[in-house]
Amino acid sequence: MAARTHGGPAGKGTFWTAMMSVDRRIIFACVALSVALPLIFPLGLPVTPARESNDFFQEIEKLAEGDVMLFSFDYEPDTMAELDPMSIAVWKHAFRRGVRIIAVTMYAGGVGVAEGIMKEAAESAGKTYGEDYVFLGYNPDWSGTMLRLGESIKATYPNDQYGVDSGTFPILKNVDSYRDIRLLVSISASALSEYWAIWAGGNYGQRMISGNTAVQAVMIYPYYQTGQMSGFLGGLKGAAEYEFLVNEKGAGIRGMDAQSTAHGLMVLFILLGNVGYVMNRRRTRHE
Amino acid sequence: MTGPDAGMDRPGAGRTCAWNRIATWRAAALLLLLPAAPRAQGLAVPPPPRVADRPNDNGRALVLAWDVPDGAPPGLLALLERRDGSGIRDTLQAVPALEPGAAERKGSFTDERGPRAGGSYAYRIAWLARGDTLWSDWSEASEPSIQWFNAERVSVAAATLLFSGILIGFVAAARRGATLFIRKIPGLEAVEEAVGRATEMGRPILYSPGLDPMEEVSTVASISILGQVARKAAEYETRLMVPNRDPIVMAVAQEVVRDAHAEAGRPDTYRADDIFYTTYSQFGYAAAVCGIMMREKPATNFFIGKFYAESLILAETGNATGAIQIAGTDSDSQLPFFITSCDYTLIGEELYAGSVYLSREPLLLGALKGQDAARVIILAVLVAASLLLALGVYDLRPYLD
Amino acid sequence: MKRTGPVVFGSLIGMVMLLQYFSPHPALLDGYNLILDMKQVVFGMTLILGIVSLVRYHASKLKRKESGWFYSLAAISGLAAMSGSSIIWGTERGFYPWAFDNIQAPMQATMFSLLAFYVASASYRAFRVRSFHAGLLLAAGVIVMLGRVPLGELIAVEFGGHRYALPQLSSWILDVPNLAAKRGILVGVGLGMVATALKILLGIERSYLGKGA
């Protein structure tokens, strides 16, 4: 239901009132410290993979050498901190299994993100551009692209990101649509993962998994439960769980300590505010 | 599914992808490169494969099926060859003879690279083993055919027709003058008050139509509401600013606002520069809108459309400037952020009802009521299907899939 | 014609796309592919429209030296520098990758990181036990927030020989009540989408053409 909504009233004078109206700058400072300190002094908290992260991992484990994966960088630098750990871990895992990757992006800022990930993964695995992976680049019309890839990859991307004719790449020699792609991976900060599931999955039956920011991951549960997505990673924790599974300690696992303390601090502030609220309400009732 | 994939069984897809034309001499070389290939000793010559047209497609595929004999060793491969009507032969991919994980001793392959509607094709199969290639006879010639309708989607078609019928029925009723009730939506009731507040304070109104492109329903709904808000703003001669993330949405918004000004009898007060494009970057857009809010200090903010992670940044910044804020989105992950920071929030479908509510146009009202009726039907079907399944009476799921 | 033409055109295109979903016939498939190609071309052209609008907006602010004109200068300079650099040297060398790594990426990451602070202050302000339902929401929020981090693993009880940790409860909340609510909203939103799409196809919804339609 639509609701008239407002923040709660702020009073003055009493201890309880002060507890429920802490200056936001104090909150900001505490959050900053709770994130920074564990990064400097790691706590080493354990990581236990969730079911959906396990399923994500298994989908890539099922791929055989030579299989082709379509990887979509559906994010920009703003969410790099949360999604880059997933992307680099997937690329390294895939390369380790001999999987070939076709990369695309639906964001202009995704080009720089993609190039950084591809470079790092390819160099560490000794992979060759054009044979083991290719970057078809940015296409602004993402809905048309998702549908068109079901008919012809080369018609959708006549050239790669760098202007080279797509038809000249060995990786695309016998790969021209979703039917030639074993798995679609979408790492996304927006609803693009859902659109991939609807258009690539619903229209063409493309098998897919996704990695999303924590806020967006909540939206993925219905698709995962119905099997439209075979697995997903939710937020930095999902990235940490996946890194644990592929045995690649990266920014995901390193960030877990900071995320733990930050969440703990937020819960503390919420409880503090509520204690102040309840005590203040009792006081006003007495009065 | 449509196109060449229509009717294709996805679990078998890996067997149809990346096929190569392998000449017979290369097939022989393949045999030498398969040190682990079992001997075909003890295996009889296979019967010709069964060939059938793939259903629900555009006539570009034939499905081959065969039985694997009991004595066949694990890892046995099947080599397939096609012959068209003019006698030209193609050797297809070597595939595992037995379907992986299959309960019965059967194999299959979908040939979708060669067949074309109007042609006729025969196939033969060989068990591929070291030193032995046991070819079957040629199958009967088969012709792929084009289907006009994808039978796998009949339930979707039925639902679409039913829903369209209901919608058209209610629209027709509205056209005939039937009275259709719509409940109060506080967020939309407050639009007049919000525009009036901006007029009294002499400050502009900020309207963000969301981040999605024009083809998204939430954006269409937002633009409809923008038209109503723009008309009220034009009547009160209050400045309306509309920053956009998408250039098509910007173009549509300019048309809508200009027409709203003309309808209000104030075409001269329309300022095209107030409906502008910012950037396609999500947080670049958020930064731009926050900057506008801090500098221009609008008295009223509308956040109507599809929003993502930037929603809280927008709403908190607007809250900090003291503006009255009306939000509406179908992104339920962002609703909590809007609810905490905005004065009024339209949740989910209330956004789609927005333009209907404000304009009270009979046709749109009829369509909205049609939507409600369809929802009741879906609810009834869901409850009935769940009860039948829970009681073990009947499983309706295959019909709803 | 100005109003009817686009409605008719939109309806025809929409019908082809709708029919193509149900029919695999090659004629419809060809139409489908043609429409998708046209859409890509149109989209490319509208980017030009967006750039023109952006430049006009900021140029007029610069010309009139309105307050905040410096930001308009920064916007136009950034646009010129990034696009000029990528045209001359491409996106792999020159100014473009340096600006991406040292200006754009840190600035965008900074904007996103503001969320952490805003969420903290907003949740502190809004999560108050004003009623039973608000209390329920608070409890669920606390369980999910702690359950989604490794800290939650340390919060557990032993019962009947099994260890039950907070993440399991958090997963149940996300898998069951959250999923049920989300699915309900999805069905409703989906119906709204279908209705709006049908209204556009049938020409009932014309607000995208302007108020006079």
Side-chain angles (χ1 to χ4, degrees):
Chain A
M1 299 285 171
R4 191 170 202 284
T5 55
H6 251 304
K12 305 178 193 182
T14 67
F15 172 73
W16 302 120
T17 311
M19 203 188 260
M20 55 182 257
S21 51
V22 172
D23 192 304
R24 59 166 66 182
R25 287 168 294 187
I26 296 174
I27 298 174
F28 292 167
C30 292
V31 169
L33 284 171
S34 73
V35 170
L37 289 175
L39 289 174
I40 301 166
F41 307 107
L43 301 168
L45 292 169
V47 172
T48 308
R51 191 186 68 227
E52 55 269 14
S53 305
N54 256 314
D55 289 344
F56 183 101
F57 169 78
Q58 288 302 332
E59 283 298 314
I60 299 182
E61 280 287 294
K62 280 186 213 165
L63 296 175
E65 187 171 349
D67 281 346
V68 175
M69 171 200 286
L70 178 66
F71 189 100
S72 187
F73 288 93
D74 297 329
Y75 65 101
E76 291 192 299
D78 38 38
T79 44
M80 264 168 80
E82 200 169 358
L83 299 177
D84 261 6
M86 291 178 195
S87 298
I88 191 68
V90 169
W91 276 69
K92 285 184 174 174
H93 186 196
F95 278 159
R96 215 185 300 152
R97 298 199 58 73
V99 171
R100 298 177 293 159
I101 307 177
I102 298 170
V104 297
T105 178
M106 303 298 162
Y107 287 103
V111 171
V113 167
E115 284 174 345
I117 297 289
M118 290 186 309
K119 186 163 180 266
E120 185 183 335
E123 276 173 10
S124 73
K127 296 294 182 180
T128 311
Y129 186 86
E131 286 178 23
D132 303 302
Y133 70 104
V134 69
F135 182 35
L136 298 178
Y138 163 60
N139 194 318
D141 177 23
W142 46 265
S143 57
T145 301
M146 288 176 190
L147 289 169
R148 200 75 174 88
L149 286 173
E151 303 302 325
S152 170
I153 295 176
K154 294 187 194 66
T156 313
Y157 292 97
N159 303 311
D160 76 342
Q161 168 67 17
Y162 312 106
V164 178
D165 183 353
S166 308
T168 61
F169 294 116
I171 187 177
L172 290 176
K173 189 162 173 266
N174 294 306
V175 174
D176 201 35
S177 73
Y178 290 131
R179 66 171 174 263
D180 306 318
I181 290 166
R182 288 286 281 168
L183 186 68
L184 162 66
V185 180
S186 163
I187 305 293
S188 165
S190 64
L192 283 176
S193 293
E194 295 174 63
Y195 289 122
W196 280 113
I198 291 166
W199 287 333
N203 254 13
Y204 296 96
Q206 175 64 53
R207 199 168 185 83
M208 73 166 288
I209 53 178
S210 80
N212 303 85
T213 52
V215 166
Q216 223 31 60
V218 181
M219 304 299 299
I220 303 298
Y221 279 90
Y223 298 93
Y224 172 62
Q225 207 227 21
T226 53
Q228 287 163 284
M229 285 197 202
S230 309
F232 73 95
L233 301 177
L236 195 66
K237 179 153 195 285
E241 290 167 359
Y242 186 65
E243 285 176 358
F244 175 83
L245 288 165
V246 298
N247 210 18
E248 282 266 352
K249 186 178 175 181
I253 288 178
R254 281 198 302 273
M256 279 296 98
D257 294 340
Q259 191 165 329
S260 293
T261 49
H263 279 215
L265 180 79
M266 281 189 217
V267 167
L268 205 62
F269 270 116
I270 290 168
L271 292 174
L272 204 73
N274 276 286
V275 166
Y277 175 77
V278 167
M279 297 308 289
N280 202 46
R281 207 164 64 169
R282 273 196 196 165
R283 184 181 64 84
T284 47
R285 269 206 204 125
H286 278 301
E287 286 169 7
Chain B
M1 283 188 282
T2 60
D5 292 330
M8 190 171 77
D9 177 17
R10 277 316 287 183
R15 298 155 62 96
T16 69
C17 65
W19 74 274
N20 294 302
R21 285 177 172 246
I22 307 172
T24 311
W25 66 269
R26 285 165 75 185
L30 196 65
L31 287 173
L32 294 174
L33 291 169
L34 290 169
R39 293 202 165 271
Q41 285 166 351
L43 284 180
V45 170
R50 299 182 292 279
V51 185
D53 176 40
R54 186 175 66 181
N56 306 314
D57 74 342
N58 58 352
R60 289 196 172 190
L62 290 168
V63 181
L64 283 60
W66 58 85
D67 295 321
V68 180
D70 286 332
L76 180 70
L77 294 177
L79 187 62
L80 299 160
E81 195 172 25
R82 178 183 64 230
R83 185 183 69 196
D84 68 12
S86 51
I88 296 171
R89 293 189 197 182
D90 270 322
T91 306
L92 307 184
Q93 189 179 3
V95 297
L98 203 57
E99 284 268 8
E104 295 173 328
R105 296 188 70 79
K106 290 185 189 306
S108 69
F109 178 78
T110 304
D111 180 13
E112 51 187 359
R113 296 281 178 172
R116 291 288 179 269
S120 82
Y121 305 87
Y123 291 83
R124 62 176 184 162
I125 188 172
W127 299 138
L128 193 64
R130 197 178 175 80
D132 290 317
T133 311
L134 301 170
W135 282 106
S136 70
D137 291 331
W138 289 99
S139 68
E140 296 280 331
S142 293
E143 294 172 8
S145 61
I146 298 171
Q147 279 78 49
W148 276 98
F149 183 74
N150 185 344
E152 288 178 359
R153 295 182 173 174
V154 70
S155 55
V156 180
T160 305
L161 285 170
L162 175 67
F163 188 42
S164 308
I166 293 169
L167 204 75
I168 291 168
F170 272 92
V171 167
R175 229 192 262 268
R176 284 195 301 272
T179 313
L180 299 167
F181 169 75
I182 184 170
R183 66 166 172 85
K184 266 196 184 328
I185 300 177
L188 296 169
E189 290 285 312
V191 168
E192 179 105 31
E193 173 203 336
V195 173
R197 181 178 190 262
T199 309
E200 280 165 20
M201 294 174 78
R203 287 178 10 207
I205 299 168
L206 178 91
Y207 190 106
S208 170
L211 272 68
D212 262 9
M214 199 62 218
E215 66 241 35
E216 293 309 311
V217 169
S218 49
T219 310
V220 172
S222 175
I223 293 296
S224 305
I225 297 174
L226 170 64
Q228 305 291 335
V229 170
R231 182 163 178 184
K232 287 198 185 354
E235 282 168 8
Y236 297 146
E237 292 186 20
T238 308
R239 188 182 173 204
L240 173 67
M241 303 175 64
V242 186
N244 293 276
R245 185 220 186 182
D246 186 282
I248 298 182
V249 175
M250 178 205 74
V252 174
Q254 284 177 340
E255 278 279 320
V256 165
V257 173
R258 188 180 58 224
D259 285 349
H261 279 253
E263 230 184 72
R266 305 266 203 280
D268 50 307
T269 56
Y270 168 67
R271 290 168 63 169
D273 287 346
D274 279 347
I275 298 104
F276 53 93
Y277 174 76
T278 52
T279 171
Y280 207 75
S281 159
Q282 178 186 5
F283 283 92
Y285 177 76
V289 175
C290 289
I292 292 166
M293 287 194 281
M294 296 306 286
R295 287 189 299 273
E296 306 283 345
K297 297 262 192 300
T300 302
N301 294 331
F302 288 94
F303 302 119
I304 311 272
K306 190 84 158 190
F307 292 88
Y308 300 97
E310 75 294 336
S311 60
L312 185 61
I313 296 176
L314 295 174
E316 280 286 294
T317 307
N319 196 358
T321 64
I324 185 171
Q325 305 199 107
I326 300 175
T329 183
D330 56 357
S331 314
D332 50 322
S333 57
Q334 308 308 319
L335 283 169
F337 303 132
F338 280 136
I339 287 172
T340 52
S341 310
C342 296
D343 296 276
Y344 299 92
T345 307
L346 305 175
I347 298 175
E349 300 154 85
E350 290 176 345
L351 165 64
Y352 305 141
S355 69
V356 180
Y357 191 93
L358 292 171
S359 66
R360 297 284 166 165
E361 198 179 306
L363 296 189
L364 296 179
L365 198 55
L368 187 69
K369 298 301 288 183
Q371 223 173 294
D372 278 349
R375 193 172 301 118
V376 168
I377 293 173
I378 289 175
L379 202 59
V381 169
L382 281 174
V383 169
S386 304
L387 277 173
L388 287 171
L389 188 66
L391 295 170
V393 173
Y394 200 73
D395 187 355
L396 276 173
R397 281 177 300 179
Y399 303 100
L400 302 174
D401 202 352
Chain C
M1 188 59 198
K2 193 180 170 206
R3 298 296 181 194
T4 322
V7 173
V8 170
F9 185 69
S11 294
L12 279 171
I13 298 278
M15 281 300 170
V16 169
M17 298 298 273
L18 179 64
L19 288 171
Q20 187 278 331
Y21 180 79
F22 296 108
S23 171
H25 199 278
L28 280 167
L29 186 61
D30 290 342
Y32 171 79
N33 286 332
L34 178 67
I35 290 167
L36 289 178
D37 286 340
M38 281 161 52
K39 185 174 183 288
Q40 287 208 307
V41 172
V42 167
F43 202 96
M45 299 301 288
T46 56
L47 280 178
I48 299 171
L49 202 70
I51 293 167
V52 166
S53 162
L54 181 78
V55 170
R56 269 182 56 176
Y57 175 74
H58 289 291
S60 74
K61 284 193 87 170
L62 271 175
K63 204 167 143 189
R64 290 194 290 254
K65 282 277 194 307
E66 285 178 21
S67 94
W69 65 267
F70 180 75
Y71 299 109
S72 293
L73 180 65
I76 294 183
S77 309
L79 172 67
M82 292 294 266
S83 32
S85 163
S86 61
I87 289 168
I88 298 169
W89 293 293
T91 58
E92 287 190 289
R93 59 182 201 283
F95 178 72
Y96 187 97
W98 181 89
F100 181 87
D101 291 335
N102 295 285
I103 303 176
Q104 185 177 353
M107 276 165 50
Q108 283 190 275
T110 302
M111 285 298 299
F112 189 66
S113 68
L114 288 178
L115 273 178
F117 302 98
Y118 284 161
V119 163
S121 71
S123 55
Y124 166 74
R125 205 177 63 232
F127 268 136
R128 296 286 155 87
V129 188
R130 292 191 183 91
S131 62
F132 171 72
H133 292 112
L136 209 57
L137 180 66
L138 170 66
V142 167
I143 290 168
V144 172
M145 275 210 292
L146 292 178
R148 291 293 301 163
V149 290
L151 191 65
E153 275 294 326
L154 305 177
I155 304 169
V157 291
E158 293 273 345
F159 185 77
H162 291 284
R163 184 174 184 271
Y164 298 99
L166 205 61
Q168 287 166 283
L169 184 56
S170 166
S171 290
W172 180 86
I173 290 173
L174 290 171
D175 279 343
V176 182
N178 165 68
L179 187 56
K182 283 247 177 298
R183 190 161 280 141
I185 294 175
L186 266 178
V187 168
V189 165
L191 267 176
M193 284 186 181
V194 172
T196 306
L198 274 171
K199 283 189 289 185
I200 293 171
L201 274 181
L202 296 171
I204 299 171
E205 176 73 61
R206 300 182 182 197
S207 54
Y208 58 92
L209 292 175
K211 283 291 289 172

